[in-house]
Amino acid sequence: MTALNLTTAERRDLRAQAHHLNPVVVVGGDGATPAVTREADAALSAHGLIKIRVFSDDRAEREALMKRLADELGAAPVQHIGKLLVLWRPIPVKAKARPPEEDRGAGTKTIRIVIPSKSGNHRPTVKKIRLLGNQRVTAGGSVKRAKTRQTSAKKKASG
């Protein structure tokens, strides 16, 4: 992969966002091993914008590492300040794992309850109530939880 290119305005915004981040990947004395590359790839997939701390005193080595990681991971080099490297890659869009809303079971729903006035000359009162999946409205207009099914001791022993 090749590294992404950013405009100066995009780079400035990303530097501002990265200011408050803590390093999520640490490159130790062994340098950039394949495990470091895998961790950086996973962190970029999860967060998009990451900081990497490099425990090397050689500035040229850190610059080369930043360029190599950006090329291998398809990321954009944002900033190299001291021993911190900042990389950015857009987060991939995840496919929905759950079925559409109409296929799901009972969830929250909003119900309007119309309470007629005591005299016929006034408007009825309308209340909006939010019900959870285990709740129901009684004939009197109050909300009750659905009862949990209780099994008898005989059924428990036989099942």
Side-chain angles (χ1 to χ4, degrees), residues 134 145-151:
N134 64 342
R145 282 188 180 172
K147 294 182 180 177
T148 58
R149 294 186 174 243
Q150 296 179 354
T151 57

Side-chain angles (χ1 to χ4, degrees), residues 26-152:
V26 178
V27 179
D30 294 338
T33 62
V36 169
T37 307
R38 279 195 309 270
E39 278 300 312
D41 186 35
L44 282 169
S45 296
H47 303 292
L49 181 66
I50 63 168
K51 274 187 182 177
I52 300 173
R53 181 174 301 276
V54 182
F55 290 119
S56 171
D57 292 330
D58 187 15
R59 181 172 175 78
E61 183 181 331
R62 291 193 304 266
E63 287 177 355
L65 173 65
M66 183 171 180
K67 183 174 172 128
R68 187 173 66 93
L69 284 176
D71 286 339
E72 286 182 11
L73 302 175
V78 176
Q79 185 178 27
H80 171 209
I81 183 163
K83 295 185 177 188
L84 291 176
L85 310 176
V86 180
L87 295 176
W88 174 80
R89 182 174 69 190
I91 299 174
V93 178
K94 295 180 183 177
K96 289 190 175 183
R98 59 183 176 155
E101 295 296 323
E102 59 267 8
D103 295 342
R104 295 183 66 197
T108 60
K109 55 186 169 184
T110 305
I111 294 182
R112 288 181 18 202
I113 297 177
V114 179
I115 301 171
S117 66
K118 292 184 181 176
S119 68
N121 297 335
H122 298 296
R123 290 184 177 179
T125 306
V126 178
K127 290 193 315 185
K128 286 187 179 180
I129 296 177
R130 188 171 176 200
L131 295 179
L132 301 176
N134 64 342
Q135 293 177 335
R136 63 184 176 90
V137 179
T138 63
S142 61
V143 177
K144 285 193 172 181
R145 282 188 180 172
K147 294 182 180 177
T148 58
R149 294 186 174 243
Q150 296 179 354
T151 57
S152 66

